[in-house]
Amino acid sequence: MTNVTFERDSRHPLSGRLRRALRALDPRWRLAAAIGWSIALVSLAVALFVGFWTMRDARAALEREIGLLYATHAQRLIDTIDTNLAGRREWVAASATLIGVRDGALGGPEADRALRDLKGALAEIEWVGIIDLSGTVVAGTDGILVGQSVPARPWFTGAFLGPYIGDVHRELLLDRLLPPLRNGEPRRFVELSAPIHDRAGNIRGVLAVTLGWSWIEALQRGTLATLKDRPGAEVLLLGIDGTVLHGSDHTPRGGRVDLSALPFATGHSVEGGRLSGLARSGGFADFPGLGWSVMVREPVATAFRTADRASVSIFTAIALGGLVATLASVLIASGIMRRLQRLAEAADALRTGRTTGFVGPRGRDEAGRIGRSIASLVHTLQQANADLSSINERLDARVEERTHEIERLSHETRAAAIVRERLRISRDLHDTVAHTLLGLLTQIRLIRKLVEVDPSRLPDEIRRADEAAQEGLAHARSAVSQLRYSPVRDDGFGPALARLVAQIQDRTASILSLSVAEAADAMTGQTAETLYRMIEEALRNAVRHANAPGIAVTVACGGDAAGLVVTVRDDGDGFDPQADQANHFGLLGLSEQADLIGAALSVESAPGAGTNVTIRLERAP
């Protein structure tokens, strides 16, 4: 046995020392290693945090720099396009003026010669034509479209209002008549037109010019040439709805770009893994532009490749420094933690049962005090474990009881929410469909009477019934819209009331007035929305039933600074509030809504004395 052990040690002299060294570095076996690793990890975490913070700032600065570069190139390109379009529009208008002042008919050899000269002036012109006032093409380059009737074309009708530029589109007829392109793709055109005036200033016809797409492609290539050091960048020309008018290999023409998530002015953003610079058309001089946008963008991985490589290098250096710090920390902590190691060995002996008593290192330092404390705590811990088991059992029972109570309250809350929603829908149906159906029913009964009494009045009454049905349909649609749209939540209490009063004023002869306290103007939330619906119902009742010359709505702070008082007062017919209202749900709906928000509702009225509806809240929403 001794010989075997000696032979293994002599054959592998380093294996034992290597295992001991690795065990000394293992934090599961050595507290010194755990302390060393902890110090190293804290140092590494701090270094990584500083490095990450620094690289984040550097990346943000790089993003701003590249984004500003892309936005600048995009702005330059869209400005060039707007300038070119504005110049071509003025050129077409000037050419139309020259054609108009010459004598003779609009068509003929002289007109053909003038059109050839115009077409030769700009390489991107595909076709030039003269159209008379009837919409017939009387002259066109290469005889294309001559004799065709084009009165419905937007560029023809738009020219009568002044120089016209139409958005890019395909012209199928003109595309078939012109020679095919080399790449076989269909042509896309930008159409310009201007009125042809005679010497007296009267319109004789329209000059139409169709531009091809070659000049746009040339401008895009020029922008890409300035970005040759950014090979991953692409330049896109977008329509007003985000349609790609001219794209790239990665983003072909006809795709869509969501412009709603991008800045409305010149700027940059990071969306969808791409760094984008965007510039929107602002027009030039009196030309408002076509609403186009230019986007220059590049994948983030390509744009930040240099910064990412630098980040990897920095983090690698920090990690290596942390490893060196770990090894040094373990060696330093080993000498400090020897007494704690003996304390651990004594604890292991107690745990495994090799001894019944705890014998730790003696002394007045931390290790000695811990050893003495462990011996006295063993019995206390055992008793505490028993007490904790008993407490856990009681806690489990209480948790189960509370869980059942919470489930019951949840069911009750859902049921109450359903009841509130049903009441709200009932009020909305009363405010719209019920009123309209009542008016329609009255009209139908009148028609039935007129059939027997005065048939000559039937067409007028049927027309009124039709108008009542149309009004009911509009009210029903409005009610459905209100179920989806919350004016108070979206606009605020004051603006929503102002819009409501303006809408009602447009539909009635009554004079409406509104006064809203400044403190209540910006209220939102469920209580404010319920107040809005109550005021809406009170106004609707006053307009339909009171025949009131004037209606006043007031929202003021009450006596208490936190309170609110809402009044809707009219000087109309009035009514008896004590009369039977069983078949009229307006007052009932107001009462239910007041209860819903904890408000006090009072309705004061008498026949011939008008009506005053008051809503009081102790605390403003």
Side-chain angles (χ1 to χ4, degrees):
M1 190 69 177
T2 303
N3 292 336
V4 172
T5 303
F6 178 80
E7 183 179 354
R8 291 185 61 190
D9 290 342
S10 62
R11 188 175 300 175
H12 303 287
L14 297 178
S15 60
R17 287 196 295 270
L18 180 60
R19 285 196 298 271
R20 288 192 296 271
L22 292 177
R23 188 167 181 173
L25 295 175
D26 191 343
R28 297 173 299 177
W29 294 96
R30 297 287 300 278
L31 187 58
I35 294 175
W37 280 109
S38 299
I39 295 173
L41 289 177
V42 170
S43 303
L44 180 61
V46 172
L48 289 176
F49 176 76
V50 173
F52 172 78
W53 190 273
T54 304
M55 290 309 302
R56 190 191 69 168
D57 291 345
R59 188 183 181 96
L62 185 62
E63 175 187 329
R64 288 192 297 271
E65 180 180 351
I66 299 176
L68 180 60
L69 172 67
Y70 287 170
T72 301
H73 282 290
Q75 186 65 58
R76 185 179 299 116
L77 178 54
I78 195 63
D79 288 345
T80 302
I81 292 174
D82 286 340
T83 304
N84 287 354
L85 286 176
R88 284 159 174 76
R89 187 181 73 158
E90 295 300 324
W91 177 76
V92 171
S95 300
T97 301
L98 294 176
I99 293 174
V101 298
R102 66 181 177 85
D103 297 326
L106 290 177
E110 186 177 351
D112 293 337
R113 184 166 51 255
L115 295 184
R116 284 195 301 272
D117 292 341
L118 289 177
K119 186 175 184 298
L122 294 175
E124 62 267 20
I125 294 181
E126 298 281 358
W127 177 80
V128 185
I130 298 176
I131 301 90
D132 62 15
L133 294 178
S134 66
T136 302
V137 180
V138 297
T141 53
D142 301 324
I144 295 175
L145 295 183
V146 174
Q148 296 283 342
S149 180
V150 293
R153 300 298 175 89
W155 49 263
F156 176 75
T157 57
F160 288 93
L161 302 177
Y164 168 85
I165 297 182
D167 209 339
V168 61
H169 69 98
R170 290 182 57 191
E171 177 61 74
L172 299 179
L173 178 59
L174 190 58
D175 191 17
R176 288 197 297 267
L177 297 176
L178 291 172
L181 296 175
R182 292 181 178 180
N183 54 15
E185 292 187 359
R187 283 181 169 84
R188 289 176 294 157
F189 303 100
V190 175
E191 295 170 333
L192 297 88
S193 61
I196 300 175
H197 295 276
D198 58 15
R199 296 178 187 274
N202 300 317
I203 297 179
R204 299 180 60 193
V206 172
L207 174 64
V209 177
T210 301
L211 300 181
W213 204 244
S214 58
W215 64 288
I216 293 290
E217 295 173 345
L219 291 176
Q220 185 197 37
R221 287 193 298 270
T223 302
L224 287 173
T226 61
L227 295 169
K228 60 184 179 181
D229 56 335
R230 314 291 304 183
E234 59 178 351
V235 179
L236 307 178
L237 179 61
L238 309 175
I240 191 170
D241 59 349
T243 301
V244 178
L245 303 179
H246 197 77
S248 64
D249 295 337
H250 301 292
T251 307
R253 176 173 57 86
R256 292 292 295 274
V257 176
D258 185 10
L259 295 177
S260 62
L262 299 173
F264 288 97
T266 301
H268 68 278
S269 63
V270 178
E271 295 288 342
R274 290 185 176 93
L275 174 61
S276 304
L278 179 72
R280 301 178 189 264
S281 172
F284 180 79
D286 62 341
F287 172 55
L290 297 177
W292 293 353
S293 302
V294 172
M295 174 181 288
V296 181
R297 66 182 185 180
E298 182 180 11
V300 171
T302 305
F304 298 149
R305 183 177 296 166
T306 303
D308 292 340
R309 289 175 179 173
S311 300
V312 172
S313 300
I314 293 174
F315 288 160
T316 301
I318 292 175
L320 292 176
L323 180 60
V324 173
T326 299
L327 295 175
S329 300
V330 170
L331 294 176
I332 294 173
S334 295
I336 301 174
M337 304 303 296
R338 285 175 184 158
R339 285 176 57 79
L340 286 179
Q341 182 178 0
R342 291 198 296 269
L343 182 64
E345 292 173 353
D348 287 339
L350 177 63
R351 177 179 55 82
T352 57
R354 296 197 303 267
T355 180
T356 56
F358 182 82
V359 180
R362 299 181 180 277
R364 292 180 292 180
D365 60 2
E366 289 82 357
R369 296 202 301 271
I370 290 173
R372 291 191 296 272
S373 299
I374 289 176
S376 63
L377 287 175
V378 170
H379 176 71
T380 304
L381 289 176
Q382 293 175 345
Q383 184 62 38
N385 286 335
D387 295 340
L388 285 174
S389 298
S390 176
I391 292 173
N392 285 336
E393 292 178 358
R394 293 196 298 271
L395 286 177
D396 289 340
R398 294 185 63 183
V399 167
E400 183 177 359
E401 179 183 352
R402 293 295 177 88
T403 300
H404 291 313
E405 180 67 17
I406 291 172
E407 290 177 353
R408 183 184 64 80
L409 293 176
S410 176
H411 288 306
E412 292 180 356
T413 301
R414 285 196 295 269
I418 292 173
V419 171
R420 287 196 299 270
E421 186 64 16
R422 288 175 176 172
L423 289 176
R424 185 180 67 84
I425 294 174
S426 172
R427 289 191 296 268
D428 289 339
L429 290 177
H430 160 261
D431 293 344
T432 57
V433 178
H435 283 187
T436 302
L437 290 180
L438 179 60
L440 185 59
L441 178 60
T442 302
Q443 200 69 29
I444 292 173
R445 289 174 177 172
L446 178 59
I447 291 172
R448 291 176 60 186
K449 280 289 186 181
L450 290 177
V451 170
E452 301 174 356
V453 178
D454 189 0
S456 63
R457 293 174 55 189
L458 283 178
D460 291 338
E461 296 304 328
I462 290 175
R463 178 179 54 79
R464 293 189 182 95
D466 180 77
E467 292 175 353
Q470 292 292 339
E471 181 182 2
L473 179 60
H475 287 169
R477 288 175 175 170
S478 175
V480 173
S481 175
Q482 289 178 1
L483 291 176
R484 296 175 175 269
Y485 167 68
S486 173
V488 175
R489 181 191 61 217
D490 297 338
D491 303 329
F493 185 68
L497 278 183
R499 187 178 296 107
L500 173 64
V501 170
Q503 291 173 351
I504 295 176
Q505 181 67 78
D506 291 340
R507 301 194 300 264
T508 181
S510 302
I511 304 300
L512 278 74
S513 64
L514 173 66
S515 174
V516 181
E518 183 178 357
D521 192 65
M523 293 190 307
T524 57
Q526 187 61 42
T527 301
E529 185 171 349
T530 302
L531 279 176
Y532 172 86
R533 298 300 182 192
M534 294 176 72
I535 295 172
E536 182 181 26
E537 170 64 13
L539 287 174
R540 187 179 290 112
N541 289 338
V543 169
R544 291 181 176 176
H545 306 302
N547 299 318
I551 305 173
V553 179
T554 304
V555 180
C557 293
D560 186 356
L564 200 67
V565 178
V566 178
T567 59
V568 180
R569 182 181 296 104
D570 68 73
D571 53 0
D573 298 340
F575 67 97
D576 183 5
Q578 304 302 323
D580 184 14
Q581 301 291 332
N583 294 323
H584 302 280
F585 298 97
L587 293 179
L588 178 59
L590 287 175
S591 178
E592 290 175 347
Q593 289 174 310
D595 292 340
L596 187 64
I597 60 175
L601 173 68
S602 65
V603 180
E604 301 174 0
S605 181
T611 303
N612 185 21
V613 178
T614 304
I615 307 166
R616 297 181 183 275
L617 275 174
E618 294 184 0
R619 185 174 297 276

